[in-house]
Amino acid sequence: VDMAIQQLLDGRKIEFCPESRSGELAPMNMASLWKQRLRWTIGWDETSLKHSGAFTDSGTLNLRARFGLVWTFLVRWAMTVLTVVSVYVGAPLTVYWPLRDPVWGGLIFWSGTICFVAGAVPWLCATLEALIRAQDRGLGDGLVQALFVFIVASPFGFAAFFVLSFLLQVTSCYKLCIGGVKGWEVTARGPQKLSAGAPKGAAADGDLEGGGSDAASTAPSDGECRSLVSLDESGGRSPNSGGEFN
């Protein structure tokens, strides 16, 4: 995110590449999920505060680009609060006072109706897409995914997601205000694989929250090191003093 903002502020253009693909393993448990999402939220907040002044400074950006940066990185804080208030304060009020024109007035009535339809249409489309693609993903797994999409994209899933977002936002702001942001912690995603000759207790020592870390999975094995050495002999590359290759 930080790199993307710097490129945009320098007048460069970022385009979507439909051929690119990426994926990741899901966190092992809720604690790992919370730490991962909190790390992402803190990163967004730090980047937003770091570059917020540059969004309105004179430069090569046009008005459309500046408005997009302000909306994406600054207005999102207000939108999170407004969404939580509208869902958990406004929705219960409509139970006691029905959302009708004579009760709330025409503006609130039509605004609420439009918001409901705007939320129901993506819910319906996402569920239908998951059902249509169920066969391609394997009928059993596809139906399970369709049920998951139906729950998550529903108004209940929408409300739960914004509660999580609001809690992450509050925690991130609190940590930034008190200076409690610590070093980067790798998300636990799976059990660490033992290399040949490694002691049995090595996996337990390297585990993080009951699972191996990303750092452990990216460390080169003995075979990979030998391959790098062979590349050094044939291609002229040599390791530096830190054991890494230039």
Side-chain angles (χ1 to χ4, degrees), residues 50-63:
K50 175 183 176 182
H51 298 287
S52 59
F55 294 162
T56 56
D57 289 345
S58 60
T60 58
L61 287 180
N62 55 33
L63 181 61

Side-chain angles (χ1 to χ4, degrees), residues 9-10 22 38 44 46 68 77 94 105 125 142-143 145 148 163 181 187 189 198 206 210-212 214 236 241:
L9 292 175
D10 288 340
S22 64
L38 181 60
W44 269 72
E46 287 180 328
W77 289 321
T94 59
C125 293
L143 292 177
Q145 184 172 359
F148 178 79
V163 168
V181 179
T187 304
R189 287 191 171 91
D214 291 351
S241 59

Side-chain angles (χ1 to χ4, degrees), residues 5 9 18 25 49 70 86 97 111 119 142 147 163 199 211 214 224 234 246:
I5 293 180
L9 292 175
L25 297 175
L49 294 173
V70 171
S86 62
W97 293 289
S111 299
L147 177 61
V163 168
D214 291 351
E224 291 171 340
S234 59
N246 297 323

Side-chain angles (χ1 to χ4, degrees), residues 2 21 30 40 47 63 66 111 113 116 122 131 147 161 163 167 169 176 178 210 212 223:
D2 185 86
R21 296 291 186 272
M30 289 302 298
W40 293 355
T47 304
L63 181 61
R66 294 182 186 278
S111 299
T113 304
F116 176 79
L131 289 173
L147 177 61
F161 171 78
V163 168
L167 293 176
Q169 196 67 73
L176 290 174
I178 66 173

Side-chain angles (χ1 to χ4, degrees), residues 87-198:
V87 171
Y88 288 94
V89 177
L93 289 178
T94 59
V95 176
Y96 187 79
W97 293 289
L99 188 60
R100 297 174 181 173
D101 193 341
V103 179
W104 291 88
L107 178 61
I108 296 180
F109 169 74
W110 286 109
S111 299
T113 304
I114 293 173
C115 289
F116 176 79
V117 174
V121 170
W123 179 25
L124 176 62
C125 293
T127 304
L128 289 177
E129 190 276 340
L131 289 173
I132 294 172
R133 297 291 303 277
Q135 187 65 39
D136 298 337
R137 299 175 175 125
L139 186 58
D141 293 340
L143 292 177
V144 171
Q145 184 172 359
L147 177 61
F148 178 79
V149 171
F150 176 78
I151 296 175
V152 172
S154 69
F156 303 102
F158 176 84
F161 171 78
F162 272 98
V163 168
L164 175 63
S165 299
F166 181 73
L167 293 176
L168 288 169
Q169 196 67 73
V170 171
T171 306
S172 173
C173 293
Y174 174 75
K175 285 182 172 292
L176 290 174
C177 290
I178 66 173
V181 179
K182 299 181 180 179
W184 180 67
E185 185 174 352
V186 180
T187 304
R189 287 191 171 91
Q192 180 179 348
K193 295 182 179 179
L194 287 175
S195 59

